[in-house]
């Protein structure tokens, strides 16, 4: 079955190659496979036969048109939100030298990719206020899991305290990943009035067995952890590491976690020029503030500057590979190999396009919209912010008065407005609550439309 | 073919901004609300540390990164014969369709009724990958191959745990295995037990027998193995493992060479991970994102990470009802974009997927046949055995006779516009080149690669210093790895580099 994606599949070329090998049938190359396990029918995959490019395009279009996107930018939150991806980012990431490259093992021929990743590390390190950031993890959830594993290794302790309002799926991922290492993941209660981590509960759970405290700000409920500095200071009193998960889009206006004393920072670049992608791919941020204790325990790839042999020209290469699985094997800091290089490059391009001024303005644009949504919610009788007194950023947790959130979400969706997720998905007791997220994409008209439809739906009009 | 890579002496992005003061335009529609809200931020949380992101105009950004791209190399530029990495050419149609906004703008918490298209694609992928691997169900959640391995190891751990067999704490891994196998096992809490490779190039079955015990939890194996040799004793191996109530784990990194010809399930494996980006045409992105998948036999379905995609005859749904699930290994549902690319690839090829294996193996042996005759090269292990997706040659003799190492040869290949193979792996072969040309290279390119090796070897015997001083046609000449890794000159960010520079002055 010759195919134009497989250049040597035409019979005459095959024959020529086989001549070199002294065989007359390609299957002779498989004569060491025991006959009883040879698969002797056609694979039942695809659509029964090879498709032409126009056939596959049509088929894909029919399938994908079953997905529905709302006309108004999506208000769905939950750790990732719809943001604008500039054309520049798309154009740069469409360069085949970037997207069809492999891991830059041969540094001399991959200088551009290496420099772009070095710039990513440098930009993110500055944004998060830390010394070193690796060249990316898969996403925010696995970066978080690797962060707590790293903390446990460094501190040689197993207890990890996690703020109860960190992203519930991040906590689940931490638990799965920590199973082998025997990590003890303990949730810290949340103050039900403010939606922030309860400092007194944190104090009561912190002890000499604690390896790290993990806190997310803004947290899963959209609330900014206003006592972040105190949380970090409390953590340090017990010789534990402070791990802070933050949204990079907030760091143009909020102080960087590293400057506030965080030992390990984590995050996800979704929103920094990376689309939603139905939850992935994105890239996970993982950085450290200490170059002695933590650097050699940092998992993942790291790019460093160097010079050429015998002259003094600047160049870039992967560094500290002796921590990695291909050299250290079972003693490696992690099993990670493939990471999210392309998305990391995309994030670097986006940050460069934004500039420090743009990032600050973007943070304000999102903060302003969040504030507007909160004000509107405070001024309606049908719903309210779950934590009316608190400061929100990008996402707002909402309580609908006397209505199930899952029902409200469906009704809104039928009117062309997407919000969610219903918080009962993660917290049974919050059946009347949902998240809504606002980004630079939402105009005043969009938010007003959301509120109008919400009022109509909740008033049963 | 003349090769000269671009060399731009491109400044680091922070150095570009001395004059420019531009930034991406952001609207100020909510400026009033923003200033109200800014006042509510506690003083300690207001950003006061300096944000050192350059402020550049659009054209400066575009030119900077385009120049960097010109100093990079991917499969669309030329062959990348990296063994075990399966760097095949990826059809453009896959790339284009997967960037449809109905894929990229879809939110993972969108109502399932509004995501029926993507869920159907995921469901079909679960079915197709099960058929390809000879398994019963697949989870698409692992965001990469190594994450898939980790999932497999966790399933093995939990499976034994649920049977009260907590003594099963040893994972057997061949010495020649990918480094991620022992690392994934260790992360899942296993003690790693190594077994050697026999001179035949296959797993040493006697050595395997000697390490088997009641503590054996499983065996991680790839077949064809990292030498490219098919483990012909696989049925016996799997019987031995199963007799110990242990599980067989298949590392799918090398699946490309046997697609449609022999399936891991039929060899006796219980769990399989796949690297969708290696086998099914999603580009590697400079090191990611890739996508993993884990497929298992019927008895293990309940252990898969949640959610799976189910179909009730009417609509597609995310399924969370697995009673013994190992939990989530990543948030949401996996790396959807590479999954979609792989879906389009499999949909387009259908049963012709088998041709991928046939031609990649034919190409491999064709190149090997040419290389093995060359002076200075030897082909350790498995005399007279065909290789499958890849083969490993040794330059030990060349090094002894000329002082030219495997790395020197690799760098000389770069000078000829060819990416080097994987070098110094597997660790059981000295001065190794692990070569995989895949099914997407033309005969002309394979001949070109052979010719390049021939030229380099000839040069090594004639004038080794020339080979040792390569590359010269790449953007930079050979880099100093010691300086890069020395604690005093380590520079993982621009800040480090600046500090080093200021110390020099």
């Amino acid at each position: 079955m010759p195919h134009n994606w497989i250049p040597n599949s035409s019979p005459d070329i095959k024959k020529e190659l086989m001549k070199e090998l002294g065989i007359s049938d390609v299957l002779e190359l498989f004569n060491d496979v025991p006959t009883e396990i040879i698969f002797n029918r056609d694979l039942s995959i695809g659509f029964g036969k090879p498709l032409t490019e126009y056939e596959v395009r049509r088929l894909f279009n029919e399938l994908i048109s079953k997905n529905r996107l709302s006309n108004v930018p999506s208000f769905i939150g939950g750790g990732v939100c719809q943001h604008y991806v500039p054309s520049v980012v798309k154009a740069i990431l469409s360069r085949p030298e970037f997207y069809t490259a492999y891991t830059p093992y041969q540094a001399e021929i991959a200088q551009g990719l290496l420099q772009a990743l070095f710039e990513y590390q440098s930009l993110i390190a500055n944004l998060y206020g830390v010394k070193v950031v690796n060249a990316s993890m898969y996403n925010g959830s696995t970066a978080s899991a690797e962060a707590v594993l790293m903390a446990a290794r460094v501190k040689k302790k197993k207890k990890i305290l996690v703020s109860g309002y960190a992203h519930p799926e991040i906590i689940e991922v931490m638990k799965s990943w920590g199973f082998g290492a025997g990590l003890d993941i303990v949730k810290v209660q949340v103050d039900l009035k403010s939606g922030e981590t309860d400092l007194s509960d944190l104090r009561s759970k912190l002890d000499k067995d604690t390896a790290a405290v993990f806190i997310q700000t803004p947290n899963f409920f959209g609330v900014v952890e206003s006592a972040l500095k105190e949380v970090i200071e409390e953590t340090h009193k017990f010789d534990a590491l402070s791990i802070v998960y933050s949204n990079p889009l907030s760091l143009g206006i909020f102080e960087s976690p590293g400057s506030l004393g965080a030992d390990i920072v984590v995050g996800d670049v979704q929103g920094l020029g990376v689309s939603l992608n139905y939850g992935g791919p994105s890239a996970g941020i993982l950085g450290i503030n200490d170059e002695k204790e933590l650097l050699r325990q940092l998992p993942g790839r790291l790019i460093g500057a160097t010079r050429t042999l015998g002259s003094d020209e600047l160049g870039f290469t992967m560094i500290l590979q002796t921590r990695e699985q291909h050299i250290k094997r079972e003693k490696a800091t992690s099993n990670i190999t493939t990471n999210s290089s392309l998305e990391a490059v995309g994030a670097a391009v986006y940050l460069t396009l934004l500039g420090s001024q743009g990032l600050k303005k973007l943070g304000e644009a999102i903060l302003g919209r969040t504030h507007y949504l909160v004000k509107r919610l405070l001024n309606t009788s049908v719903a309210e912010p779950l934590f009316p007194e608190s400061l929100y950023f990008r996402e707002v947790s909402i309580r609908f008065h006397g209505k199930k959130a899952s029902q409200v979400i469906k009704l809104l969706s039928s009117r062309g407005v997407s919000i969610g997720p219903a918080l009962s998905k993660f917290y049974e007791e919050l059946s009347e609550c949902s998240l809504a997220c606002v980004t630079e994409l939402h105009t005043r008209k969009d938010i007003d439309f959301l509120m109008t439809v919400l009022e109509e739906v909740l008033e049963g009009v | 073919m003349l090769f000269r890579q671009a060399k731009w002496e491109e400044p680091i992005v922070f150095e570009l901004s001395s004059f420019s003061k531009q930034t991406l335009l952001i609207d100020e529609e909510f400026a009033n609300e923003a200033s109200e809200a800014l006042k509510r931020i506690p003083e300690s949380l207001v950003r006061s540390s300096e944000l050192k992101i350059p402020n550049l105009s659009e054209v400066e950004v575009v030119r900077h990164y385009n120049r960097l791209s010109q100093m990079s190399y991917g499969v669309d530029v030329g062959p990348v014969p990296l063994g075990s990495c399966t760097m095949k050419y990826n059809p453009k149609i896959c790339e284009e369709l997967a960037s449809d906004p109905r894929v990229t703008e879809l939110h993972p918490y969108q109502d399932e009724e509004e995501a029926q298209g993507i869920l159907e694609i995921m469901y079909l992928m679960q079915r197709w990958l099960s058929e390809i691997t000879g398994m019963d169900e697949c989870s698409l959640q692992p965001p990469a191959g190594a994450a898939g391995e980790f999932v497999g190891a966790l399933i093995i751990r939990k499976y034994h745990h649920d049977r009260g067999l907590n003594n099963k704490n040893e994972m057997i891994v061949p010495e020649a295995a990918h480094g991620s196998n022992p690392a994934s096992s260790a992360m899942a809490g296993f003690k790693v037990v190594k077994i050697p490779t026999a001179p035949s190039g296959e797993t040493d079955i006697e050595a395997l027998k000697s390490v088997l015990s009641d503590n054996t939890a499983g065996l991680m194996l790839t077949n064809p193995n990292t030498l490219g040799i098919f483990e012909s004793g696989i049925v016996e191996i799997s019987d031995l493992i199963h007799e110990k109530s242990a599980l067989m784990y298949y590392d799918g990194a090398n699946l490309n060479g046997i697609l449609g010809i022999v399936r891991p399930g039929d060899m006796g494996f219980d769990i399989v991970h796949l690297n969708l980006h290696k086998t099914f045409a999603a580009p590697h992105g400079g090191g990611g994102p890739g996508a993993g998948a884990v497929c298992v036999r019927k008895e293990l379905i309940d252990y898969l990470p949640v959610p799976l995609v189910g179909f009730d005859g009417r609509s597609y749904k995310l399924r969370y009802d697995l009673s013994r699930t190992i939990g989530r290994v990543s948030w949401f549902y996996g790396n959807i974009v590479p999954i979609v690319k792989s879906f389009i690839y499999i949909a387009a090829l259908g049963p012709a997927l088998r041709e991928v294996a046939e031609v990649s193996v034919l190409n491999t042996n064709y190149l090997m046949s040419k290389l093995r005759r060359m002076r200075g090269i030897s082909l350790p292990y498995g005399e007279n055995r065909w290789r499958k997706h890849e083969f490993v040659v040794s330059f030990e003799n060349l090094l002894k006779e000329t002082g030219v190492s495997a790395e020197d040869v690799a760098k000389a290949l770069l000078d000829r516009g060819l990416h080097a193979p994987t070098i110094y792996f597997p660790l059981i072969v000295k001065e190794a080149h692990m070569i995989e040309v895949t099914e997407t290279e033309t005969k002309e390119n394979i001949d070109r690669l052979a010719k390049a090796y021939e030229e380099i070897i000839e040069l090594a015997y004639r004038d080794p210093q020339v080979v040792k001083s390569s590359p010269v046609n790449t953007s930079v000449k050979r880099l100093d790895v010691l300086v890069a890794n020395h604690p005093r000159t380590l520079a993982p960010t621009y800040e480090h580099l600046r500090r080093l520079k200021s110390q020099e002055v």
Side-chain angles (χ1 to χ4, degrees):
Chain A
M1 231 180 280
H3 195 286
N4 82 328
W5 291 350
I6 309 170
N8 292 350
S9 59
S10 64
D12 45 334
I13 302 179
K14 271 187 174 176
K15 213 175 275 172
E16 221 177 305
L17 299 183
M18 284 192 287
K19 211 169 99 194
E20 164 81 22
L21 303 178
I23 59 170
S24 56
D25 185 339
V26 178
L27 287 183
E28 285 182 50
L29 298 171
F30 295 90
N31 61 7
D32 48 1
V33 179
T35 39
E36 74 264 29
I37 58 171
I38 289 264
F39 185 68
N40 48 24
R41 59 172 171 87
D42 274 348
L43 285 169
S44 168
I45 52 171
F47 298 87
K49 62 174 179 69
L51 302 179
T52 63
E53 190 168 312
Y54 42 88
E55 283 170 330
V56 82
R57 181 182 293 273
R58 179 154 179 185
L59 183 128
F60 181 75
N61 265 318
E62 278 165 17
L63 271 173
I64 211 68
S65 61
K66 295 176 192 168
N67 286 349
R68 286 204 306 274
L69 297 174
S70 55
N71 295 328
V72 182
S74 170
F75 291 100
I76 307 176
V80 293
C81 299
Q82 194 176 6
H83 286 276
Y84 184 68
V85 179
S87 302
V88 169
V89 177
K90 289 182 194 169
I92 301 295
L93 294 193
S94 319
R95 293 287 302 201
E97 299 93 327
F98 281 150
Y99 83 80
T100 75
Y102 193 59
T103 306
Y105 287 128
Q106 293 294 335
E108 294 84 1
I109 206 166
Q111 282 302 294
L113 174 62
L114 284 159
Q115 183 172 333
L117 290 170
F118 177 83
E119 292 178 356
Y120 162 83
Q121 291 175 179
S122 306
L123 288 162
I124 300 285
N126 182 257
L127 188 58
Y128 279 74
V130 289
K131 300 265 174 54
V132 180
V133 168
N134 73 13
S136 79
M137 307 305 279
Y138 307 128
N139 56 48
S141 71
T142 70
S144 301
E146 294 268 22
V148 298
L149 284 170
M150 170 167 60
R153 282 197 303 273
V154 170
K155 289 294 170 193
K156 301 191 171 63
K157 299 190 266 190
K158 307 267 187 199
K159 184 171 157 186
I160 310 284
L161 299 182
V162 180
S163 165
Y165 279 177
H167 195 302
E169 292 193 20
I170 289 183
I171 300 178
E172 284 179 48
V173 173
M174 258 181 213
K175 283 183 179 162
S176 307
W177 283 53
F179 176 67
L183 294 193
D184 182 19
I185 310 277
V186 180
K187 276 195 207 174
V188 178
Q189 278 175 25
V190 178
D191 180 323
L192 293 176
K193 242 185 129 181
S194 67
E196 295 187 35
T197 305
D198 186 335
L199 266 173
S200 61
D201 191 55
L202 175 69
R203 284 192 195 103
S204 74
K205 285 176 176 151
L206 259 168
D207 55 24
K208 60 174 179 24
D209 297 326
T210 309
V213 173
F214 181 98
I215 184 167
Q216 178 180 346
T217 180
N219 63 28
F220 185 66
F221 286 70
V223 173
V224 174
E225 293 275 0
S226 62
L228 184 59
K229 208 167 156 49
E230 287 82 346
V231 170
I232 293 170
E233 283 164 4
E234 286 299 316
T235 304
H236 287 160
K237 282 183 194 160
F238 288 85
D239 188 34
L241 295 174
S242 153
I243 307 174
V244 178
Y245 185 105
S246 28
N247 174 357
L249 296 164
S250 72
L251 295 179
I253 51 175
F254 289 97
E255 183 54 286
S256 66
S259 307
L260 291 169
D263 303 289
I264 303 175
V265 299
V266 270
D268 187 286
V269 303
Q270 195 277 321
L272 285 184
V274 177
S275 319
L276 284 165
N277 302 332
Y278 201 46
S282 183
I285 292 165
L286 180 55
I288 51 171
N289 225 342
D290 175 287
E291 291 174 77
K292 290 193 183 75
E293 216 180 348
L294 292 173
L295 185 57
R296 274 163 212 283
Q297 287 298 330
L298 182 69
R301 251 166 228 148
L302 210 51
I303 312 301
T306 185
R307 57 186 141 200
T308 48
L309 280 168
S311 65
D312 211 11
E313 213 177 331
L314 180 69
F316 301 91
T317 186
M318 300 205 292
I319 56 170
L320 298 184
Q321 290 185 67
T322 47
R323 305 160 301 127
E324 291 191 57
Q325 48 74 32
H326 64 280
I327 294 182
K328 260 299 180 48
R329 304 183 72 84
E330 70 268 24
K331 295 195 176 68
T333 51
S334 164
N335 70 340
I336 189 167
T337 51
T338 292
N339 52 10
S340 294
S341 292
L342 194 68
E343 314 301 357
V345 170
V349 174
Y350 184 65
L351 281 171
T352 307
L353 196 64
L354 263 182
S356 55
Q357 287 309 310
L359 189 71
K360 189 163 174 282
K361 279 192 179 163
L362 179 63
E364 287 172 4
I366 296 170
L367 182 72
R369 283 158 168 85
T370 319
H371 186 62
Y372 180 66
L373 176 61
V374 169
K375 275 206 300 193
R376 292 293 311 260
L377 285 165
L378 285 169
N379 279 323
T380 178
S381 58
V382 297
E384 65 178 337
L386 193 49
F387 308 103
E389 307 286 315
S390 295
L391 179 64
Y392 284 93
F393 182 83
R394 189 175 74 158
E395 300 194 50
V396 183
S397 40
I398 304 170
R399 182 189 298 281
F400 306 114
H401 293 154
K403 285 266 170 31
K404 282 225 180 300
S406 51
Q407 225 181 324
V408 176
I409 291 168
K410 282 232 186 274
L411 286 167
L412 285 175
S413 161
S414 69
R415 305 279 300 270
V417 182
S418 301
I419 74 159
L423 288 174
S424 58
K425 189 174 157 73
F426 307 103
Y427 313 87
E428 258 173 63
E429 68 281 14
L430 299 178
S431 63
E432 293 177 3
C433 304
S434 172
L435 292 178
C437 130
V438 277
T439 72
E440 72 282 0
L441 287 171
H442 296 100
T443 60
R444 195 174 297 267
K445 220 170 119 190
D446 294 334
I447 300 174
D448 289 343
F449 181 60
L450 166 70
M451 288 308 298
T452 307
V453 178
L454 195 61
E455 281 168 346
E456 285 172 9
V457 160
L458 285 167
E459 282 159 1
V461 173
Chain B
M1 187 186 281
L2 179 74
F3 175 69
R4 292 274 185 279
Q5 194 175 25
K7 180 185 180 71
W8 281 103
E9 290 182 14
E10 183 64 20
I12 296 168
V13 71
F14 300 90
E15 294 164 346
L16 282 174
S17 63
S18 47
F19 298 107
S20 191
K21 295 276 178 260
Q22 304 296 319
T23 73
L24 187 73
L25 279 188
I26 303 290
D27 74 89
E28 293 181 4
E29 194 182 352
F30 290 83
N32 290 339
E33 286 85 356
S35 66
E36 274 175 37
L38 282 168
K39 287 183 200 123
R40 298 191 52 205
I41 301 177
E43 205 181 328
S44 71
L45 291 190
V46 176
R47 179 126 198 163
S48 62
S49 58
E50 194 190 350
L51 247 183
K52 288 182 193 154
I53 302 172
N55 294 301
L56 300 173
S57 58
E58 180 167 324
V59 66
E60 289 170 288
V61 175
V62 169
R63 286 184 183 152
H64 174 66
Y65 285 103
N66 272 330
R67 287 191 294 244
L68 289 187
S69 79
Q70 289 173 0
M71 294 192 283
S72 298
Y73 184 100
V75 174
D76 280 9
V77 179
V80 183
L82 278 156
S84 264
C85 303
T86 313
M87 287 294 290
K88 57 172 79 178
Y89 164 77
N90 305 131
K92 293 297 160 211
I93 183 78
C94 306
E95 199 64 26
E96 184 191 330
L97 296 184
S99 63
D100 189 299
R102 290 166 293 183
V103 177
T104 60
E105 300 286 303
L106 204 64
H107 195 291
Y109 289 142
Q110 197 135 2
D111 191 282
E112 286 161 26
E113 287 300 319
E114 297 173 358
Q116 285 296 300
I118 196 81
L119 289 173
E120 186 171 345
I121 286 170
M122 292 169 72
Y123 179 80
L124 285 171
M125 278 298 270
Q126 290 175 189
R127 298 275 61 75
W128 295 350
L129 297 179
S130 297
E131 163 78 354
I132 288 166
T133 55
M135 295 281 137
D136 294 302
E137 189 55 277
C138 297
S139 163
L140 304 174
Q141 193 176 69
E149 281 179 29
F150 180 48
V151 167
L154 285 174
I155 289 175
I156 295 175
R157 180 98 196 258
K158 190 148 194 303
Y159 173 81
H160 293 312
H161 179 82
D162 286 357
R163 276 161 186 68
L165 300 173
N166 288 318
N167 59 315
K168 289 202 168 287
N169 60 357
E170 291 180 358
M171 186 73 84
I172 304 175
V173 181
E175 263 177 294
H178 301 122
S180 48
N181 287 180
S184 299
S185 302
M187 277 177 89
F190 289 109
K191 185 181 157 217
V192 176
V193 177
K194 284 175 238 172
I195 46 168
T197 303
S200 65
E202 296 195 26
T203 298
D204 186 332
I205 296 192
E206 291 312 309
L208 171 65
K209 283 180 188 162
S210 73
V211 300
L212 277 175
S213 77
D214 289 340
N215 297 337
T216 305
L219 169 71
M220 291 183 107
L221 201 65
T222 181
N223 193 17
N225 63 30
T226 53
L227 293 167
I229 291 175
F230 191 84
E231 300 274 0
S232 61
I234 189 62
V235 178
E236 185 189 351
I237 290 175
S238 106
D239 288 346
L240 286 169
I241 295 294
H242 288 143
E243 274 165 28
K244 289 286 173 198
S245 305
L247 295 175
M248 288 283 289
Y249 178 90
Y250 184 85
D251 175 332
N254 300 345
L255 191 73
N256 206 54
I258 56 165
L259 286 170
I261 292 170
V262 53
R263 307 187 303 174
D266 302 332
M267 299 181 208
F269 286 93
D270 304 294
I271 306 173
V272 176
H273 96 258
L274 299 175
N275 302 68
L276 300 187
H277 49 294
K278 291 185 183 186
T279 315
F280 304 112
H284 288 240
V294 172
C295 306
V296 295
R297 271 188 205 292
K298 211 178 288 149
E299 307 78 57
L300 295 171
I301 293 175
D302 265 344
Y303 288 87
L304 285 170
V306 283
L308 299 179
V309 179
F311 182 58
D312 62 9
R314 197 188 57 85
S315 62
Y316 297 90
K317 286 194 160 49
L318 294 166
R319 279 183 57 193
Y320 291 87
D321 58 339
L322 305 184
S323 58
R324 299 190 181 279
T325 175
I326 56 157
R328 276 186 173 281
V329 288
S330 181
W331 62 12
F332 313 122
Y333 326 120
N335 277 350
I336 298 300
V337 177
I339 291 170
V340 169
K341 288 173 190 173
S342 304
F343 169 83
I344 297 159
Y345 179 77
I346 300 175
L349 281 176
L353 196 63
R354 181 193 168 98
E355 199 71 24
V356 166
E358 290 191 7
V359 176
S360 70
V361 172
L362 184 59
N363 284 352
T364 300
N365 284 286
Y366 174 74
L367 179 62
M368 181 179 82
S369 164
K370 296 196 153 202
L371 255 56
R372 69 181 307 178
R373 294 199 295 261
M374 293 176 192
R375 191 178 166 194
I377 289 187
S378 63
L379 184 68
Y381 296 99
E383 183 86 22
N384 301 322
R385 289 288 300 272
W386 298 119
R387 283 355 187 223
K388 295 297 175 284
H389 63 301
E390 69 190 7
F391 64 99
V392 181
V393 293
S394 169
F395 288 95
E396 204 182 351
N397 295 336
L398 186 77
L399 180 64
K400 268 189 216 146
E401 291 163 17
T402 68
V404 169
S405 67
E407 182 172 24
D408 297 328
V409 175
K411 299 300 180 195
L413 283 169
L414 304 184
D415 269 341
R416 288 157 177 80
L418 296 157
H419 197 284
T422 301
I423 58 174
Y424 298 104
F425 189 80
L427 306 173
I428 57 168
V429 176
K430 285 182 185 159
E431 296 297 314
H433 272 204
M434 182 193 233
I435 307 170
E436 178 177 13
V437 280
T438 84
E439 73 284 1
T440 63
E441 286 312 324
T442 59
K443 179 176 180 298
E444 288 77 4
N445 267 335
I446 301 171
D447 289 339
R448 199 178 130 211
L449 196 57
K451 186 101 179 75
Y453 269 109
E454 201 174 7
E455 268 175 36
I456 294 163
I457 289 167
E458 192 270 326
L459 191 59
Y461 283 100
R462 185 161 47 84
D463 194 350
Q465 213 40 52
V466 178
V467 182
K468 292 182 82 62
S469 50
S470 55
V472 294
N473 294 338
T474 45
S475 310
V476 293
K477 292 187 183 168
R478 191 115 37 129
L479 291 163
D480 193 328
V481 182
L482 291 179
V483 166
N485 286 288
H486 194 282
R488 258 187 306 166
T489 43
L490 205 65
T493 67
Y494 181 64
E495 276 302 306
H496 289 84
L497 190 60
R498 236 173 39 126
R499 220 179 310 134
L500 287 174
K501 275 189 183 162
S502 68
Q503 281 163 9
E504 275 170 23
V505 175

